[in-house]
Amino acid sequence: MAKVASHGAFQGESPLDYALPLIILQICLVIVVTRSLAYLLRPLRQPRVIAEIIGGILLGPSALGRSTKFLHTVFPPESMTVLDTLANLGLLFFLFLVGLELDLSAIRRTGRKALAISLSGIALPFALGIGTSFAFRATVVKDAPHAPFLVFMGVALSITAFPVLARILTELKLLTTDLGRMALSAAAVDDVVAWILLALAIALSGSGSPIISLWVLLTAAGFVIGAFVLLKPVLAWMARRCREGEPIKELYVCATLAIVLAGGFLTDVIGIHALFGGFVVGVVVPKEGPFAGMLLEKVEDLVSGLFLPLYFVSSGLKTNVATISGAKSWGLLVLVIANACVGKIGGAVATSLLVKIPVREAVTLGFLMNTKGLVELVVLNIGRERKVLNDEAFAIMVLMALFTTFITTPIVMAVYKPARPSAPYKRRTVECAPGDAGGELRVLACFHSSRNIPTLLNLVEASRGTGRRLLAVYAMHLVELSERSSAITMVQRARRNGVPFFNSADRGEGQLVVAFEAFQQLSSVRVRAMTAISDLDTIHRDVVDSATGKRAAVVVMPYHKVLHHDGSFQSLGSAYHAINKRVLREAPCSVAILVDRGLGGPAQVSAQNVSFSVAMIFFGGPDDREALAYATRMAEHPGVAVTLARCRPNRPHSGEESADDEAAIDAFKSKVGMAKDGSVHFEEREACAKEDVLETISSLTKFNVFVVGRMPPTEPLVENPDELGPVGSYLVSPEFRTTASVLVIKRYDPATNPKSKRFDPKARPPAATEEDVLDEAETGRSAVAPVPWSPVSDRVSDSEQ
């Protein structure tokens, strides 16, 4: 394979005999196999690293590679140098990204409990690893150098994979709990210690004398010190010149990547592997400001998506499960798995119990700390390259890493099921009980992107009612948790106030926070900007849990379709549609779906310039009464004109329902009739067949907003109405041409909303988080106990609302 590219099949040459077409085929095959496995393992909530390790093993001599024709055609021995070079280059930059994620200042702030758990989670498995090494040396690796093998085995058993653990904690929604923060802090310490021990193992594995090993260690220490003393000021200078909201200069990106390569070259010259250089450069990059985040955005997709899977396949091609044969080999596999679990889990659990962590949380913490991953494979590959591990020992250790990581998520889900008591509160609807008419209305307003913000803010302004501080809005940005490193970094930088994740440090989120803070300064509405980062299949739980924790009366969800310039709607996907359905089914309060057609234009309208016209179509029933209550609140705004169009339903009403409808209409007339002269109109239609309803709606054309109930007692106006109900679906259909936004409201009813009952209305409230204390300080009322809440122990306050 001396040439790079072939002349083509028509010239009688096989492209697979040349380096470039062969590596292209290998990369494409790797991506297809690993992504397919990741999709298949998704229901098991497994991190992608599991799929990539399994994919590598399947492509190797353990499965498909058992066919020598396949192995020699797709992965011939002469191509492995190119594949390994690309894989290690990708790994070099990935470890640079890992270093970017690792904040040393956060490690310095690690609490005593996390530090004790981390040290015990290193010491005990390291000791057991040394003990296990004697069994290996007596059976399968008799010729391995003694001291390096002891250290390699100790490091392999004592590692906790920091990036993989962050992914698992985020997917299980544990990252911002005390348990998750403690696990991540301990894993960060483990990561740093593991790299130091690995450097020691590599130095000892050299073929020279102990003096040479000492020189390697001293030179490596000098490299690290030089990076902090000489390199950090240069990177800090570049970071200071990167301003918020501005694109990073191409020169700075190029210079940083060149520094990563130079660091890798220097550490390879020293003799401790090029990967250390990339990791150290990543660690010394300043974490404050937008510089680190911008570098992640520039580098991570290419590295994590394209090159990193090659490293796992490269490892899988070296892993031959068939070498594990006989009782001794399988016994060693069981022994090393048992020692890895006993060491990590036992050490973490024992220390957790000593520092007064409850048993269930201690066991969970132990299994979380037993997570292996990429760093484990790095250790094993380096050990194999240095002739410390042979093929059989390498295969045994790879299977150990795969097993311990695979069991983490299902066991944690089975063991740790934190209670979710709701903070009891009475106002779960917009429509107030008679004694609560003057209470504060709390709204959880969700949005997918910044283009929803102007309409959201204009709706909030129109809904603020009269008086001061009578409306509190929690604006939640719903962000899909991707496989990108920046998603984990964004979550890690969140303010630790429980679910959801606050994040003012991220560049994009910072701009959103500024927009809401500016609105708060100019309005009498109290606003809190929030970010929930989750998989789309589970992000509704963040919404539901946050509505409970913030004691919201209504949740505003964005419609799952976005408006195009031609007036048509295009769906964001079935996953976004499912989010709204789940929130409608499980929310502990009323829910409103906002169809954004640009209320007020592309920018926020100032309070003094608000001039909106609102049409409320009333048929009757609980959802319509809730929508009427919202329209009544909007009618209190001096810049909002409301028209109430009442349609007598053609379905017979119960006497109690009819009485409630009449009372709601009378309350609307009495409340807004005197407050605003001429801006409130009332229309009533006696006969309301489908044609009459369509005629009524068609007459309501010159309005900015429609407010309707989700399930009024009327027949559907379109076929197959979606989550907007029979009337709302027509208002967004192509048959009805309008530029008005639509607000479709579903009233909270525990009888028809069974899943909301998991929030026990009689449960004692959880103690206040830091953000709750800030909220109550602004309103001057105390609704929750202002003491630290520990999700680790799930203790609740004795204070009642």
Side-chain angles (χ1 to χ4, degrees), residues 302-352:
L302 181 65
V303 172
S304 301
L306 198 63
F307 290 117
L308 189 61
L310 296 180
Y311 189 79
F312 293 101
V313 171
S314 175
S315 301
L317 292 171
K318 302 167 189 172
T319 305
N320 189 356
V321 179
T323 59
I324 308 175
S325 59
K328 287 185 179 180
S329 295
W330 288 105
L332 284 174
L333 177 61
V334 173
L335 175 66
V336 75
I337 290 176
N339 282 349
C341 294
V342 169
K344 267 292 182 185
I345 299 171
V349 169
T351 307
S352 299

Side-chain angles (χ1 to χ4, degrees), residues 8 69 215 224 268 382 430 471 531 646 689 755:
K69 184 176 181 180
W215 272 112
V224 174
D268 190 80
I382 293 176
V430 178
L471 180 64
T531 301
R646 184 181 186 185
K755 287 207 171 184

Side-chain angles (χ1 to χ4, degrees), residues 3 99 183 256 270-271 280 322 353 356 416 428 458 487 494 514 591 609 643 739 754 759 799:
K3 291 185 178 180
T256 305
I270 292 171
V280 171
L353 295 175
K356 303 290 195 279
Y416 187 66
R428 296 172 181 264
N458 290 330
V514 168
V591 179
N609 294 328
T643 296
T739 59
F759 297 95
S799 303

Side-chain angles (χ1 to χ4, degrees), residues 403-416:
F403 177 82
T404 54
T405 305
F406 190 90
I407 65 173
T408 299
T409 299
I411 290 181
V412 169
M413 292 175 66
V415 172
Y416 187 66

Side-chain angles (χ1 to χ4, degrees), residues 220-363:
F223 171 80
V224 174
I225 294 171
F228 279 91
V229 174
L230 302 176
L231 180 58
K232 192 170 184 178
V234 176
L235 294 172
W237 177 82
M238 286 193 287
R240 286 194 301 270
R241 295 179 67 86
C242 291
R243 294 186 168 59
E244 203 77 46
E246 297 180 3
I248 186 173
K249 290 185 178 180
E250 183 269 343
L251 177 63
Y252 296 159
V253 177
C254 183
T256 305
L257 298 183
I259 291 172
V260 173
L261 293 173
F265 176 78
L266 287 176
T267 49
D268 190 80
V269 170
I270 292 171
I272 57 167
H273 210 283
L275 305 179
F276 281 91
F279 178 74
V280 171
V281 173
V283 169
V284 300
V285 170
K287 306 303 186 289
E288 302 80 14
F291 185 59
M294 290 178 179
L295 287 174
L296 275 172
E297 291 178 6
K298 295 289 184 182
V299 178
E300 65 181 337
D301 286 339
L302 181 65
V303 172
S304 301
L306 198 63
F307 290 117
L308 189 61
L310 296 180
Y311 189 79
F312 293 101
V313 171
S314 175
S315 301
L317 292 171
K318 302 167 189 172
T319 305
N320 189 356
V321 179
T323 59
I324 308 175
S325 59
K328 287 185 179 180
S329 295
W330 288 105
L332 284 174
L333 177 61
V334 173
L335 175 66
V336 75
I337 290 176
N339 282 349
C341 294
V342 169
K344 267 292 182 185
I345 299 171
V349 169
T351 307
S352 299
L353 295 175
L354 286 176
V355 296
K356 303 290 195 279
I357 293 178
V359 176
R360 187 185 295 269
E361 286 74 16
V363 173

